[in-house]
Amino acid sequence: MSNLSVKRNLQAFEKKYVKREIKDTEEIPMVQLDRNENNFGFSPKVPQAIAENISSSYVYTNVDGEPLRSKLAEFHKVSVENILIGNGSFELIGLIAQVFQNKGKKAIQGVPTFDWYRIATILNHGEMIDIPLENHHYPLEEIARNVTDDVEIIWLCNPNNPTGTFFTKKDLVEFLEKIPSSKLVVVDEAYIDFVPDEVLEDNLSLLEKYENLLFLRTFSKIYGLASLRVGYAIANPSIIHSLFQFKIPPNTNRLSVMAAAASLQDVEHYGIVKEKVASEKRFYEEELTKRGFYFIPSYTNFLLIDFGKKTDEIVRQFAKEGILLRGGSEFGYDHFIRVTIGKHQENKLFFEVLDKISLEE
């Protein structure tokens, strides 16, 4: 065994972030409803895009992430100077902290939320201020009240993971008006594509007024490219330039970039996935209501369900039946389980196992 040890400030997280992997068995193929993936799959244009470009894989990817960068700029009606392509949002979260988080200074977030904001902060010798959610919603007013001089980065997750709650453009504007322009405001919109069209607004238009604002987007969710690792940041050109200087030069691969570009153009598939997720979420809501379960209304492709008791054993029971779920104890919601909205047969299986477990109690 090595005598080397992880840095002291990371030791509390060392085991928590070992990724859970449970392999299929011959008897039970595992259904993954624990990672908020798009189980409906990627665009049919993706395989062709990969096939057409695989012969050029010996050449480094364009350092700007082209042609995806230009296609995203056109799609979002911004300049290419507003876009930075990353190897998934994970890389960009880490890069933001590396570039803008000074040693001994602070960041702030609502909790529970996506915990990589905290890890990125600690890895860069910063301190995270946690503000508890308010009725499962992101506590914007309380965060604004706690932005002190030594806070450098504000992390907002919208819709929030793991609760699935959402704040509006009006809420964001009211928040930004209270924040000094010297503070970087990061809005992680990994799940924004699942927000119903009648609620969704163009938050990117705020970039013209608020030069300290940065949005994160990903191809891992609605576009179904989780394993290809493509995310991007949209921000003021000066922020993008600062990040670009310190990113790994060839930080993406050619096949991922071309697959993402093809996905972006397949508006039909995007709409199909969005509608299927909405339909299957209604199925969950109806079936849970029939059984008397409380769940947090969600604007995402997952639901957080209250089981009324600690859920670690329930998660294990589901795993024995071939379904992987995310237990709430990992983020302080001990009585809850987070379940990804899957295909209809996967969702039906969830309720079959739920009823079986309930009968056994």
Tab-separated table of all heavy atoms in Angstrom, residues 26 41 44-45 108-109 145 179 195 215 251 294 305 307-308 315 318 336:
chain	number	residue	atom	x	y	z
A	26	GLU	N	-26.135	-11.904	-15.461
A	26	GLU	CA	-26.906	-12.672	-16.438
A	26	GLU	C	-28.368	-12.751	-16.035
A	26	GLU	O	-29.263	-12.779	-16.873
A	26	GLU	CB	-26.320	-14.082	-16.576
A	26	GLU	CG	-24.952	-14.105	-17.247
A	26	GLU	CD	-24.445	-15.525	-17.445
A	26	GLU	OE1	-25.209	-16.461	-17.146
A	26	GLU	OE2	-23.308	-15.686	-17.896
A	41	GLY	N	-32.066	8.247	-25.576
A	41	GLY	CA	-30.970	8.164	-26.517
A	41	GLY	C	-30.698	9.425	-27.319
A	41	GLY	O	-31.429	10.408	-27.255
A	44	PRO	N	-30.445	10.339	-34.142
A	44	PRO	CA	-29.988	9.381	-35.162
A	44	PRO	C	-28.927	9.956	-36.092
A	44	PRO	O	-28.301	9.211	-36.853
A	44	PRO	CB	-31.275	9.045	-35.929
A	44	PRO	CG	-32.216	10.166	-35.639
A	44	PRO	CD	-31.874	10.636	-34.263
A	45	LYS	N	-28.698	11.261	-36.039
A	45	LYS	CA	-27.652	11.887	-36.851
A	45	LYS	C	-26.255	11.688	-36.255
A	45	LYS	O	-25.244	11.903	-36.935
A	45	LYS	CB	-27.925	13.385	-37.001
A	45	LYS	CG	-29.222	13.719	-37.727
A	45	LYS	CD	-29.400	15.223	-37.865
A	45	LYS	CE	-30.739	15.578	-38.510
A	45	LYS	NZ	-30.815	15.105	-39.906
A	108	ILE	N	-20.172	30.745	-2.755
A	108	ILE	CA	-21.432	30.561	-2.042
A	108	ILE	C	-22.409	29.805	-2.939
A	108	ILE	O	-22.388	29.965	-4.167
A	108	ILE	CB	-22.013	31.934	-1.598
A	108	ILE	CG1	-23.202	31.744	-0.651
A	108	ILE	CG2	-22.376	32.802	-2.790
A	108	ILE	CD1	-23.630	33.045	0.042
A	109	GLN	N	-23.251	28.977	-2.318
A	109	GLN	CA	-24.226	28.172	-3.052
A	109	GLN	C	-25.414	27.856	-2.150
A	109	GLN	O	-25.328	27.948	-0.927
A	109	GLN	CB	-23.593	26.850	-3.511
A	109	GLN	CG	-23.188	25.947	-2.345
A	109	GLN	CD	-22.594	24.619	-2.785
A	109	GLN	OE1	-22.410	24.357	-3.950
A	109	GLN	NE2	-22.306	23.763	-1.808
A	145	ARG	N	-27.956	38.159	0.485
A	145	ARG	CA	-27.665	38.794	1.790
A	145	ARG	C	-26.325	38.341	2.352
A	145	ARG	O	-25.744	39.030	3.193
A	145	ARG	CB	-28.780	38.482	2.788
A	145	ARG	CG	-30.004	39.374	2.639
A	145	ARG	CD	-30.914	39.258	3.847
A	145	ARG	NE	-31.649	38.023	3.841
A	145	ARG	CZ	-32.860	37.866	3.297
A	145	ARG	NH1	-33.442	38.897	2.706
A	145	ARG	NH2	-33.474	36.705	3.335
A	179	ILE	N	-26.229	42.101	-6.629
A	179	ILE	CA	-24.876	41.535	-6.591
A	179	ILE	C	-23.868	42.490	-7.233
A	179	ILE	O	-24.069	42.944	-8.365
A	179	ILE	CB	-24.838	40.182	-7.337
A	179	ILE	CG1	-25.860	39.204	-6.736
A	179	ILE	CG2	-23.440	39.583	-7.302
A	179	ILE	CD1	-25.664	38.895	-5.266
A	195	VAL	N	-37.327	22.201	-19.072
A	195	VAL	CA	-38.314	23.162	-18.579
A	195	VAL	C	-39.381	23.356	-19.662
A	195	VAL	O	-39.048	23.557	-20.833
A	195	VAL	CB	-37.639	24.507	-18.233
A	195	VAL	CG1	-38.683	25.546	-17.834
A	195	VAL	CG2	-36.618	24.312	-17.109
A	215	PHE	N	-23.291	31.354	-17.946
A	215	PHE	CA	-24.205	30.212	-18.001
A	215	PHE	C	-23.438	28.966	-18.422
A	215	PHE	O	-22.549	29.027	-19.282
A	215	PHE	CB	-25.337	30.461	-19.007
A	215	PHE	CG	-26.299	31.537	-18.602
A	215	PHE	CD1	-26.154	32.831	-19.093
A	215	PHE	CD2	-27.340	31.263	-17.721
A	215	PHE	CE1	-27.032	33.828	-18.720
A	215	PHE	CE2	-28.219	32.267	-17.344
A	215	PHE	CZ	-28.074	33.547	-17.842
A	251	ASN	N	-8.966	20.192	-25.354
A	251	ASN	CA	-9.732	19.647	-24.228
A	251	ASN	C	-10.940	18.825	-24.638
A	251	ASN	O	-11.626	18.251	-23.794
A	251	ASN	CB	-10.182	20.779	-23.285
A	251	ASN	CG	-11.132	21.756	-23.956
A	251	ASN	OD1	-11.037	21.995	-25.157
A	251	ASN	ND2	-12.038	22.327	-23.185
A	294	TYR	N	-45.551	11.722	-1.554
A	294	TYR	CA	-45.250	13.120	-1.841
A	294	TYR	C	-43.990	13.175	-2.699
A	294	TYR	O	-43.023	12.440	-2.477
A	294	TYR	CB	-45.008	13.910	-0.553
A	294	TYR	CG	-44.426	15.291	-0.800
A	294	TYR	CD1	-45.222	16.326	-1.283
A	294	TYR	CD2	-43.067	15.539	-0.582
A	294	TYR	CE1	-44.687	17.582	-1.537
A	294	TYR	CE2	-42.524	16.801	-0.823
A	294	TYR	CZ	-43.348	17.809	-1.309
A	294	TYR	OH	-42.803	19.046	-1.562
A	305	ILE	N	-38.549	11.908	-4.499
A	305	ILE	CA	-39.743	11.311	-3.906
A	305	ILE	C	-39.522	11.071	-2.427
A	305	ILE	O	-38.493	10.523	-2.007
A	305	ILE	CB	-40.073	9.966	-4.591
A	305	ILE	CG1	-40.206	10.158	-6.108
A	305	ILE	CG2	-41.348	9.362	-4.015
A	305	ILE	CD1	-40.187	8.849	-6.883
A	307	PHE	N	-40.211	9.069	0.849
A	307	PHE	CA	-40.662	7.750	1.295
A	307	PHE	C	-41.051	7.730	2.760
A	307	PHE	O	-41.452	6.688	3.277
A	307	PHE	CB	-39.572	6.706	1.019
A	307	PHE	CG	-39.553	6.222	-0.403
A	307	PHE	CD1	-39.090	7.052	-1.428
A	307	PHE	CD2	-39.999	4.959	-0.742
A	307	PHE	CE1	-39.070	6.629	-2.744
A	307	PHE	CE2	-39.994	4.518	-2.053
A	307	PHE	CZ	-39.530	5.356	-3.058
A	308	GLY	N	-40.904	8.866	3.447
A	308	GLY	CA	-41.355	8.950	4.836
A	308	GLY	C	-40.447	8.281	5.838
A	308	GLY	O	-40.771	8.215	7.030
A	315	VAL	N	-33.105	1.775	-1.383
A	315	VAL	CA	-32.231	1.855	-2.562
A	315	VAL	C	-31.565	0.502	-2.815
A	315	VAL	O	-31.477	0.034	-3.967
A	315	VAL	CB	-31.175	2.960	-2.382
A	315	VAL	CG1	-30.120	2.902	-3.492
A	315	VAL	CG2	-31.839	4.329	-2.371
A	318	PHE	N	-34.127	-1.966	-4.300
A	318	PHE	CA	-34.338	-1.710	-5.732
A	318	PHE	C	-33.163	-2.256	-6.548
A	318	PHE	O	-33.364	-2.832	-7.626
A	318	PHE	CB	-34.511	-0.219	-5.986
A	318	PHE	CG	-35.940	0.251	-5.976
A	318	PHE	CD1	-36.538	0.708	-4.815
A	318	PHE	CD2	-36.699	0.236	-7.141
A	318	PHE	CE1	-37.860	1.147	-4.810
A	318	PHE	CE2	-38.011	0.665	-7.157
A	318	PHE	CZ	-38.596	1.118	-5.983
A	336	PHE	N	-35.757	10.754	1.164
A	336	PHE	CA	-36.080	10.902	-0.254
A	336	PHE	C	-35.233	9.975	-1.117
A	336	PHE	O	-34.137	9.551	-0.737
A	336	PHE	CB	-35.850	12.343	-0.717
A	336	PHE	CG	-36.889	13.322	-0.235
A	336	PHE	CD1	-36.889	13.778	1.078
A	336	PHE	CD2	-37.866	13.802	-1.102
A	336	PHE	CE1	-37.837	14.700	1.520
A	336	PHE	CE2	-38.811	14.720	-0.674
A	336	PHE	CZ	-38.803	15.159	0.644
